[in-house]
Amino acid sequence: MSNESTQANSLLPANIAALAAYSSAKSEKLSGTTWLNANESPYAKTIQMSIEDLNRYPDPQPQLVIDRYAAYAELESENVLMTRGADEGIELLVRTYCESAKDSIALFLPTYGMYKVTADTHNVAINALTQALLLNGSVDEIVDAVGSSKLVFICNPNNPTGSLTPLDKVTAIATALADKALVIVDEAYIEFCPEQSATKLINQFSNVVVLRTLSKAFALAGLRTGFTLAQAATLAPIRKVIAPYPVSGVVASIAAQAIAPDAITSMRRQVIILNTLKAKLVQWLSESPAVLKILTGEGNFVTLKLADKNYFKIALEQGLVMRAFTLYGENDWLRISIGSEQELKQVKIWLDGLAVPTASAISAQQEVS
């Protein structure tokens, strides 16, 4: 290590020096021809662009986008904050509402990794709870386990398991934690089960915050656009903390087109198609001896346990890129994004080509030996 690197590292706070960065799907630097690893939409958008005022700073919160998203979420414009992806919403909530080296956030593991990375970055402790507690525990048990945590993150549907916490349970948790903690419902995948959205709780609860994104069903992962939804008083301190110009004019122009009424109708049609393709994929997986367990759940992905983790390497050799996971202490899990019909056919080809020995074949081999 050079002297310059040593000197730079000596300036780092201990929590940053020890930080393990979040490993995104794209950071794995895999190569392939069929990409089903990042829960992206297979539908590319055609955007009309005419930007002539890039010499000027943009509107910090572009009014047309705010108004259109408020209408889509059935809220008022004062309930909407536009961010650079839902990830910025996570960061703003931790930075605004948590005191470094004092507060904690509660997570239900396994879940989205950026909650922990963000908390670690700000020297905020992790209260690591389980999805089993969230789904099967009583509200009293959950609240007791949350303890004094300032923020409670519920990824709903949950990534990577797809599990869904019923809205009435979210309501009960928010009620029990009133004036004690913010209940943050991350709805990155809610368009695939919109009836379960917690946005309808916002007018009732000042401690409910909903995170949204245009990266999944809206097919704009490359735009990095998200929204934080809450009561105006809950958003007010966050507005003090957010960067002065978080949204570029180009992003605002594209986002406004993406959430226009006709575009929302198109998105909903695409969701129906993707949910139908997902059902077909689940059927193929359930019929394959290469798959030991399937976590179907909600969202544009399926997470499964392989009979042999080497099957993932075979997929990569075929140009099929999916997301390998370590879940429940086991490194033979795989998450498959719901792509186009043609992309999912590549999954079927991979599944059909896996050589899984049957019980009769094993018995015959033992007899020969």
Side-chain angles (χ1 to χ4, degrees), residues 33-111:
T33 55
T34 302
W35 294 88
L36 300 175
N37 65 329
N39 295 346
E40 299 157 330
S41 171
Y43 299 104
K45 287 190 175 298
T46 300
I47 300 295
Q48 302 296 322
M49 291 294 298
S50 178
I51 303 293
E52 298 178 352
D53 58 350
L54 292 181
N55 58 313
R56 305 297 181 186
Y57 284 110
D59 186 343
Q61 291 291 300
Q63 198 61 50
L64 178 58
V65 179
I66 298 298
D67 292 345
R68 284 183 174 178
Y69 202 85
Y72 167 64
E74 298 181 347
L75 295 168
E76 299 299 323
S77 295
E78 66 179 9
N79 302 130
V80 180
L81 180 72
M82 189 176 180
T83 60
R84 290 169 287 198
D87 288 339
E88 186 182 29
I90 296 167
E91 197 272 339
L92 287 168
L93 284 160
V94 172
R95 185 150 55 100
T96 303
Y97 280 98
C98 292
E99 187 173 342
S100 177
K102 177 181 176 181
D103 290 326
S104 68
I105 67 170
L107 311 177
F108 299 94
L109 303 173
T111 194

Side-chain angles (χ1 to χ4, degrees), residues 301-312:
F301 59 89
V302 177
T303 301
L304 55 106
K305 181 177 173 63
L306 294 169
D308 186 334
K309 66 179 181 181
N310 289 318
Y311 295 154
F312 175 67

Side-chain angles (χ1 to χ4, degrees), residues 199-278:
T199 52
K200 56 182 66 73
L201 304 180
I202 287 175
N203 289 330
Q204 183 181 353
F205 294 96
S206 62
N207 66 326
V208 169
V209 180
V210 174
L211 298 174
R212 292 284 191 84
T213 182
L214 299 188
S215 294
K216 310 304 181 185
F218 280 93
L220 285 173
L223 195 64
R224 307 308 302 127
T225 298
F227 299 91
T228 301
L229 313 176
Q231 287 190 11
T234 306
L235 291 179
I238 302 177
R239 294 184 190 277
K240 297 178 183 179
V241 173
I242 194 170
Y245 300 103
V247 181
S248 79
V250 174
V251 167
S253 176
I254 296 172
Q257 294 179 55
I259 55 177
D262 288 350
I264 290 173
T265 299
S266 175
M267 177 273 292
R268 287 171 172 155
R269 285 197 299 265
Q270 292 170 358
V271 164
I272 292 173
I273 295 170
L274 292 173
N275 280 340
T276 301
L277 290 173
K278 177 177 178 177

